[in-house]
Amino acid sequence: MSITAEETRAQIVAETKTRNRALIDEVLKVYPEKTAKRRAKHLNVYEEGKSDCGVKSNIKSVPGVMTIRGCAYAGSKGVVWGPIKDMIHISHGPVGCGQYSWASRRNYYIGTTGVDTFVTMQFTSDFQEKDIVFGGDKKLEKIMDEIEDLFPLNHGITVQSECPIGLIGDDIEAVSKKKSKEYGGKTIVPVRCEGFRGVSQSLGHHIANDSIRDYVFEKQGAEPKAFEKTPYDVAIIGDYNIGGDAWSSRILLEEMGLRVIAQWSGDGSLAELENTPMAKLNVLHCYRSMNYISRYMEEKHGVPWVEYNFFGPSKIAESLRTIASYFDDHIKEGAERVIEKYNRLTKEVIAKYRPRLEGRTVMLFVGGLRPRHVIGAYEDLGMNVVGTGYEFGHNDDYQRTTHYVKDGTLIYDDVTGYEFEKMVEAIQPDLVGSGIKEKYVFQKMGVPFRQMHSWDYSGPYHGYDGFAIFARDMDMAINNPVWSLTKTPWE
Amino acid sequence: MSQNAEKVLDHFNLFREPEYQEMLKNKKEQFENPEPQDKLVQVREWTKTWDYREKNFAREALTVNPAKACQPLGAVFAAVGFESTMPFVHGSQGCVAYYRSHLSRHFKEPTSCVSSSMTEDAAVFGGLNNMIDGLANTYAMYKPKMIAVSTTCMAEVIGDDLNAFIKTSKEKGSVPEEYDVPFAHTPAFVGSHITGYDNALKGVLSHFWDGKAGTVPARVREPNEKINFIGGFDGYTVGNTREVKRILDLMNLEYTILADTSDVFDTPSDGKFRMYDGGTTLEDTAASLNAKATFSMQEYCTEKTLPFIAEHGQEVVALNCPIGVSGTDKFIMELSRVSGKAIPDELKKERGRLVDAIADSTAHIHGKKFAIYGDPDQCLGLAAFLMELGGEPTHVLATNGSKHWAEKVQALFDSSPFGKDCHVYAGKDLWHMRSLLFTEPVDFLFGNTYGKYLERDTGTPLIRYGFPIFDRHHHHRYPIWGYQGGLNMLVRILDKIFDEIDNNSNVPSQSDYSFDIIR
């Protein structure tokens, strides 16, 4: 009796599921009972046809387990606000938070740093004991005066709260209001992103989104002056221009005939934020960090929004067509023209790299978007993602993930250092994609690795131009001669 | 379209292609509400003036680009220097993600550390339950021999009591009663990472020496001939500690390196991840009470630890990151004096080799002006070395430098004609340094990776020195201490000087008459 290919596949999937379930049981054994119960809810094997991945998410990390997560401040200052280039973002509190997040996220921008642009600078109130005891509001006022004095071309200020601010009862809202008035209505945004709020970076994104709503949109009231709308205006939302991602995305939107009026927030400016409600459509890349403000603009200003994915040619083409569907034939033709234009590049990239990567397996653990968004790009190169999870995804992210993952994929939410290490050890993927804290752990183990937050100092990975770099980088990680050297030849 | 599969363009070149340049130009003009070019140029030039410098130095509240981090970073660094020890930082979890990233970006190594993950409810009710659960989990999962606790500013502001919390956790069975959980309060709003190092190290020593938080009798000191050695918060720990061990071995000394981070930040790639590697054993840590003396290579990293050790009856020797001939001489002579052991000929020969190298090269350094910023001891050690080479440490700046430190630097300046026109800046930041470099230019700048922004803005060539160094690899593997370390520093300085000379003399038919092949 012959076995069909389909039956073979089904058998492999069944075996994978059995192995993955056993692996989950195995890693849970290390925990004290209470913790094992809590962690069990975050680990699962994806069953095809289910509406989500069957894991709990966006709940508190367990103390002492080595979570990979960050905090609300990281979500607001590090992600949402930090890249707005013509504003000065004060890390308000002790020196550390601003120091560790100083220029480390690679949000590219054009501007004269220190004069009209401030992204890769660390402005801090450097709290001392007396500020904790007596409060920091007076100091904050003075800081704003000194900023106005020394950095006169800044277009606005944000106050990024660190943990102590909310604990000592400072009124940064009052200070911001007072100073804004004093400087003729200058945009000054107090942000309550203290690190202890919420369970991860995610609440920081939300708080930052809300502060844009309250202190940029609500404040400005009527339409900004001197802005002429066109029927083809879009804003890029949720692209932080890491290694230039937003640029290699923008160029495609412009080539299809759209006019990009704002970038949120990579290489973005206050004026662009202000203009965004004038857009015909908001195109949303990182849903997790900026869905809030997109929903707001939809409700308040009637601007529809659409998610897109610019990782890998399959998803790019699909996304270009989806975006075009909101516009007339001129744009629809533009989308086809763009897809056609880059067809040769795509083919050449795949011809060069796919044979070197075909069938290779990948395990991912990233933030709130990439654990699903990059899967298509790997598949374009013939690779399979066999495990994935989010640092700070919510249930709606795990629902969206079902459109990307295959039956039997191992799912791990807010993975702990221990779990990740044991799972990779057992599964032995050909590549792990995660962050700086994970990179060296796996490289020591002899497993090829790419940082999928910072693109390992490479990039862009978005768009067709970025896909060439992505493919090159994955090949260079996996087919690196160094991996054949980890074992001594004499043992 | 410029991108191609043949030779993939990276971000460096991709965005310089005409299609991107035009796109970026349009973006700016149409959407960014840019400042007019003349205004931009006017302000940019103004920031280079004495007028701006005066305003800049009049700052009282704002800090811009500081050269310091916060206490718990130093506490984590110290903790991983003990055998199989897991640092446990009580407070918000984001902080721990930051410390781990920061250290890993410098050393290109994993950094293991856990958090008690306190959130809003803990802010209201205190973090006791987080401590109880956290210790139990860490103990079960990562099987450390010791868990070293420190704090984030959140836990400090709400006033969590580590001693009481750890006691309660033990009562609740999180870890065995006799299990070692030293602790240190490390508020981020006091001092800097070097203060945290100091507090954490003192916390570990007082745990083992003074009776483990009252749970066992304090140890009685039984003096022996051993020497304790403390490196301080040191980005060169891998190279430095090994070099110091070599020197101590050459001198035939018995010693204990306290908080020995040299192996954990230099683990091999051989198919195995070592969460823990090397480090001071807990037995040695306890027995280090008996040592004859303790050497600290960085006085300002051990401002509390050294007096604590002295109170326990040991002689303490505080150095300031000794670099070069005289610095190393002092280190070795002090070792000899304290131990009564002779300095071996081999070290004498090494010294001669460093002097020889300096004699060969000093003409290129003599009379050159340098700016230095970094941690207090690292500034002192390097400034002394530069003066030894005939260089002038014109601006010496430490954001975490105290008045006491500034006096010490001034005394160093006063000790040599090369210090005549030099100035020290305690508590200032890199935006102050920017003004200094514009108004009183120097030939070269020493500093960490962030110094590259100063290099870009002021054109002062940067010689990377200190912590963190993110954008150059493997410097931490090469010692800067000992005569060998002095040689490494010398070569690093000379390479930069020669590269600059070549870069300034390489235009064909204009400047390349000086493009010499022998220098």
Side-chain angles (χ1 to χ4, degrees), chain A residues 90 93 149 154 171 198 211 231 242 247 252 255 297 317 426 438 468 490:
Chain A
I90 304 166
D149 233 16
N154 84 79
D171 193 350
S211 68
I242 292 165
W247 294 335
L252 301 180
E255 281 174 352
M297 282 188 268
E438 295 70 60
W490 60 84

Side-chain angles (χ1 to χ4, degrees), chain A residues 125-137:
Chain A
S125 46
D126 187 13
F127 259 35
Q128 301 300 304
E129 198 148 23
K130 62 175 190 299
D131 302 315
I132 300 287
V133 176
F134 300 110
D137 287 342

Side-chain angles (χ1 to χ4, degrees), chain A residues 356 475-486:
Chain A
R356 302 165 60 82
D475 173 46
M476 128 172 34
I478 291 175
N479 295 305
N480 190 317
V482 74
W483 306 123
S484 65
L485 302 174
T486 52

Side-chain angles (χ1 to χ4, degrees), chain A residues 186-368:
Chain A
K186 187 183 191 82
T187 300
I188 301 184
V189 186
V191 192
R192 285 288 180 178
C193 55
E194 287 90 344
F196 61 81
R197 294 193 198 280
V199 301
S200 68
Q201 292 93 315
S202 186
L203 188 63
H205 306 141
H206 197 155
I207 290 167
N209 277 227
D210 288 353
S211 68
I212 298 176
R213 177 195 66 200
D214 295 344
Y215 292 90
V216 178
F217 290 164
E218 301 275 322
K219 197 199 87 176
Q220 113 188 335
E223 292 185 11
K225 34 188 173 332
F227 190 85
E228 279 177 39
K229 295 196 244 184
T230 80
Y232 300 124
D233 291 353
V234 297
I236 293 177
I237 312 282
D239 190 324
Y240 302 102
N241 206 32
I242 292 165
D245 279 339
W247 294 335
S248 56
S249 302
R250 181 185 188 104
I251 201 162
L252 301 180
L253 297 174
E254 290 190 349
E255 281 174 352
M256 71 192 269
L258 297 170
R259 193 173 81 138
V260 179
I261 64 166
Q263 282 177 210
W264 288 57
S265 54
D267 193 37
S269 55
L270 178 61
E272 288 169 73
L273 296 186
E274 290 170 345
N275 291 340
T276 305
M278 307 290 114
K280 284 280 169 215
L281 177 71
N282 280 330
V283 300
L284 177 59
H285 208 247
C286 182
Y287 169 84
R288 181 71 274 133
S289 59
M290 284 199 175
N291 76 86
Y292 318 101
I293 200 71
S294 306
R295 292 176 198 280
Y296 171 79
M297 282 188 268
E298 183 177 44
E299 283 160 26
K300 177 89 178 182
H301 303 278
V303 187
W305 53 279
V306 60
E307 290 173 67
Y308 71 110
N309 179 348
F310 270 8
F311 288 107
S314 302
K315 290 293 166 189
I316 297 172
E318 196 183 306
S319 296
L320 288 172
R321 289 182 176 125
T322 307
I323 292 168
S325 72
Y326 285 78
F327 296 93
D328 59 15
D329 286 352
H330 166 65
I331 299 298
K332 287 181 183 126
E333 284 156 22
E336 295 308 321
R337 199 174 54 244
V338 171
I339 294 163
E340 179 54 32
K341 177 183 169 184
Y342 288 92
N343 192 25
R344 203 178 120 196
L345 171 67
T346 298
K347 275 194 169 146
E348 284 172 358
V349 168
I350 290 175
K352 183 173 176 184
Y353 293 108
R354 184 161 180 147
R356 302 165 60 82
L357 297 168
E358 187 82 51
R360 302 300 188 107
T361 56
V362 187
M363 286 174 76
L364 298 169
F365 185 76
V366 211

